[in-house]
Amino acid sequence: MSTKKSRVTIKEVAKAANVSTATVSRILNNRDGEIKISEETKKLVNEKAKELGFRLNPFASALRSRRSGLIGAVIRDIGDPFLAKLIKKVQKAANEQGLELLVGDSGYEEQAAEHQVSLMISQMFDGVLIFTHTGKEFIEKLGRDSVPYVSITGDYYNLENPRVHTNDIQGVNMAIHHLVELGQM
């Protein structure tokens, strides 16, 4: 029979450091208040938290702040070399902003993409990037529900939705014009 060790609480850290739970919470969550906490107390609390094996509960923090620090990206094909490079850049940019990026692969399936986006939103993600096709009604619903998202696809629904789209026809015309100027065509 195994005994599962319970998670160390803020109360236990506070008792070990001989400070209030509010002080521990402020220190461990990096929140400054009107009353300043000495560096000595911060060091002591952090040492006690480490000794006891305390870990912040991201869900509790997310409930308090209404922010999880997570953003989602749903892409059409994780094996697509262009998208793989793009997702790496997006993840780097997210990390630089203190966010974590989690990725879902829809496999070019509109219903799978919509399910993944809905799941991310229901799990307290702060926002979603959509790199695949979704239905017009789904995009309209995201807008009505004030979901933070950006569509990065070729879905042209003439909606006033946050999106980044390419104009493939204009891009091809520019490429051909450039090659003609170079004398290559």
Side-chain angles (χ1 to χ4, degrees):
M1 185 164 109
S2 69
T3 58
K4 187 177 176 183
K5 185 181 176 191
S6 63
R7 188 177 202 127
V8 176
T9 66
I10 283 181
K11 285 182 181 179
E12 292 170 287
V13 175
K15 184 177 179 183
N18 198 27
V19 297
S20 72
T21 54
T23 298
V24 172
S25 177
R26 285 182 47 212
I27 292 169
L28 298 179
N29 288 296
N30 294 318
R31 288 194 320 260
D32 285 331
E34 290 180 22
I35 301 170
K36 298 298 177 200
I37 300 171
S38 73
E39 291 303 317
E40 182 180 312
T41 301
K42 288 178 184 178
K43 184 178 176 186
L44 175 64
V45 167
N46 283 314
E47 285 173 359
K48 294 298 179 183
K50 187 175 180 178
E51 284 173 19
L52 293 170
F54 177 82
R55 290 178 295 152
L56 283 173
N57 182 334
F59 296 109
S61 297
L63 284 172
R64 269 191 315 279
S65 68
R66 298 186 161 262
R67 295 192 54 117
S68 65
L70 298 173
I71 58 171
V74 177
I75 63 173
R76 64 180 174 263
D77 179 6
I78 203 150
D80 180 316
F82 171 75
L83 287 176
K85 283 184 177 180
L86 183 59
I87 286 296
K88 283 182 179 182
K89 297 288 186 184
V90 170
Q91 182 161 13
K92 184 176 188 280
N95 292 158
E96 288 171 356
Q97 296 298 314
L99 300 169
E100 198 58 54
L101 176 73
L102 299 177
V103 180
D105 180 351
S106 72
Y108 287 92
E109 306 238 353
E110 187 175 299
Q111 191 173 15
E114 291 176 4
H115 172 74
Q116 290 173 4
V117 170
S118 296
L119 184 63
M120 289 174 178
I121 292 164
S122 71
Q123 296 301 315
M124 298 177 57
F125 280 52
D126 293 336
V128 181
L129 303 170
I130 305 169
F131 292 87
T132 188
H133 297 284
T134 57
K136 179 180 180 182
E137 295 79 23
F138 183 75
I139 292 293
E140 288 172 334
K141 182 179 181 332
L142 292 177
R144 280 192 311 273
D145 294 346
S146 300
V147 171
Y149 77 96
V150 176
S151 173
I152 306 171
T153 67
D155 293 339
Y156 294 99
Y157 298 128
N158 294 322
L159 301 174
E160 292 299 319
N161 61 327
R163 63 188 181 273
V164 176
H165 293 270
T166 58
N167 184 329
D168 295 337
I169 294 170
Q170 182 181 1
V172 169
N173 284 334
M174 290 172 67
I176 290 171
H177 179 75
H178 180 68
L179 289 174
V180 168
E181 281 183 343
L182 294 173
Q184 301 295 315
M185 294 187 77

